[in-house]
Amino acid sequence: MSKASTVLSSRSARIAIIALLAIVLLAAPLFLPQIANLTLVRIGVYAVAVLGLNIVMGYTGQVNLGQIFFVGLGAYVTAYGVNQEWNIVVVFLAACTVAGLVGLLVALAAARLGGLAIAMVTIALPIVGVPLAKRLDEFTGGSQGISARFSDAPEWSNLYNDQWQFYIILLVTVIAFLLARNLVRGKYGRAFGVVKENEAVAASMGVSPYRTKVLAFTIASIYGGASGFLYLAAVQYTSPETLSFGHSISLLAAMVIGGAGSIVGSLIGGAYYVLVPQWTNAIDPSFTTLSQGAILLVVLFLLPEGLVSLPRVLRRLARRPTARPAQGNPPQTTPAPHPVTEAAPERLEKTERQDRS
């Protein structure tokens, strides 16, 4: 089979898989129970948050321990805009814009730092955000939080609320992942990778590490704001608890377990963030933290590149030879005659003829 036909067949198979997946996603909420739809909705919400964190940490190598702050900020902006009866598209743009502007300001101040310094700056975001949300009760509802309903299904759709919310989250999540895929595969993605590997090499190639870090952090903040919008669409309520630092660490663990520097790994990380606590809480609520720590350690030791690398590792193990050669005496080989030794009898016969003459 020629190379062109192989490429064509693989492309056709990829298109067929994508079309099948699209049909399944579009039809799934119509047949699944409500609890399953709500679970898938929450996976989409946190997959977008993990994706933003992956852009700044997995692809650019910059520390960010405050991603949950931008998720909460986007949720608060969404709640405020909905209660002020803004257009829902304007609300979504406002959530992304405000989170992006705050992220830009933080990045401009922190991008020149490195290591522990930038980690401490990002840690401060959720730590400061929780008391700030409690004090600004006019906008945030204080300690009681704030609610906003905007994702109920319209009458013309003939859908239940959970189905309508599923389609909202699905639309935004698919767009977010497609944009991220194009970003990391383009020139900015290559710049992220060079900065992650070696900032000095990046500078020698004409890539500004400072600007690249600022760009990555700002994009991650925008994704956090979009995730906050989706969070309010799913839950229709937010409070200072949304900004807690523990959630930020859980997002970081989800990114590592799913796969740092991987688009698909972000989706796996979102599923891990939602599903594993549900399963462990069903067994024993006190077992949740212990199990998450254990899973993180196992993945770090066995799959350093995350769960997304599991198929590749299995294929590599399957290709290893299983049969060993039989242990016995090595086969005897007859050495090839040396040219000089082979010609010696002819020279001896010639010398005897000369002596006789």
Side-chain angles (χ1 to χ4, degrees):
M1 184 182 293
S2 64
K3 183 178 180 180
S5 60
T6 303
V7 173
L8 183 61
S9 62
S10 62
R11 183 179 302 175
S12 301
R14 192 182 303 113
I15 293 174
I17 292 174
I18 293 174
L20 179 61
L21 181 61
I23 294 173
V24 171
L25 288 175
L26 290 174
L30 303 177
F31 302 99
L32 293 176
Q34 181 181 8
I35 185 63
N37 285 338
L38 294 177
T39 300
L40 291 175
V41 161
R42 293 184 62 218
I43 289 175
V45 170
Y46 290 107
V48 174
V50 174
L51 179 60
L53 187 61
N54 222 334
I55 290 174
V56 70
M57 291 191 69
Y59 285 97
T60 315
Q62 188 177 4
V63 179
N64 181 5
L65 301 179
Q67 180 72 354
I68 197 65
F69 170 81
F70 299 103
V71 176
L73 180 60
Y76 274 118
V77 172
T78 301
Y80 179 82
V82 169
N83 291 331
Q84 296 298 317
E85 299 183 352
W86 295 354
N87 181 278
I88 195 61
V89 176
V90 175
V91 171
F92 174 74
L93 295 176
C96 295
T97 302
V98 172
L101 289 175
V102 174
L104 175 62
L105 294 176
V106 174
L108 289 173
R112 295 189 185 278
L113 304 175
L116 184 61
I118 191 172
M120 296 305 296
V121 171
T122 55
I123 286 175
L125 292 175
I127 293 176
V128 174
V130 171
L132 191 63
K134 292 180 179 180
R135 286 184 174 274
L136 299 177
D137 53 354
E138 182 179 354
F139 302 99
T140 64
S143 300
Q144 301 300 319
I146 186 173
S147 61
R149 299 182 66 89
F150 69 95
S151 57
D152 292 342
E155 295 182 0
W156 55 264
S157 65
N158 294 324
L159 297 173
Y160 293 104
N161 290 342
D162 59 289
Q163 297 170 339
W164 182 254
Q165 292 166 5
F166 180 94
Y167 288 122
I168 293 175
I169 275 75
L170 177 64
L171 176 63
V172 178
T173 302
V174 168
I175 293 175
F177 271 76
L178 289 177
L179 291 176
R181 177 180 177 274
N182 293 334
L183 174 72
V184 300
R185 291 193 174 190
K187 65 176 183 179
Y188 293 110
R190 292 190 291 271
F192 293 162
V194 174
V195 171
K196 178 182 178 181
E197 292 298 326
N198 194 312
E199 294 186 16
V201 173
S204 66
M205 296 173 61
V207 177
S208 172
Y210 176 71
R211 293 180 181 177
T212 303
K213 289 181 179 181
V214 169
L215 176 63
F217 199 96
T218 304
I219 293 174
S221 305
I222 293 173
Y223 272 83
S227 177
F229 172 88
L230 297 179
Y231 176 82
L232 207 70
V235 181
Q236 300 181 349
Y237 168 81
T238 187
S239 68
E241 175 63 22
T242 309
L243 300 164
S244 67
F245 181 67
H247 294 320
S248 193
I249 296 301
S250 297
L251 280 179
L252 177 60
M255 183 205 71
V256 174
I257 290 173
S262 170
I263 299 295
V264 178
S266 301
L267 186 59
I268 298 175
Y272 167 84
Y273 186 93
V274 174
L275 295 178
V276 171
Q278 283 188 355
W279 295 337
T280 54
N281 285 333
I283 300 173
D284 185 357
S286 61
F287 183 63
T288 300
T289 304
L290 178 63
S291 64
Q292 289 182 335
I295 292 172
L296 180 60
L297 289 176
V298 170
V299 171
L300 285 176
F301 279 108
L302 300 181
L303 297 170
E305 297 180 6
L307 293 177
V308 72
S309 65
L310 181 59
R312 184 168 63 252
V313 172
L314 293 178
R315 287 195 301 267
R316 186 167 61 245
L317 293 176
R319 287 197 298 264
R320 286 184 177 179
T322 56
R324 294 183 177 180
Q327 299 294 331
N329 296 328
Q332 299 294 330
T333 58
T334 303
H338 195 277
V340 176
T341 308
E342 187 177 2
E346 297 180 359
R347 289 199 301 269
L348 180 59
E349 184 179 355
K350 184 177 179 182
T351 305
E352 290 177 354
R353 286 199 302 268
Q354 290 177 353
D355 292 339
R356 292 172 184 171
S357 60

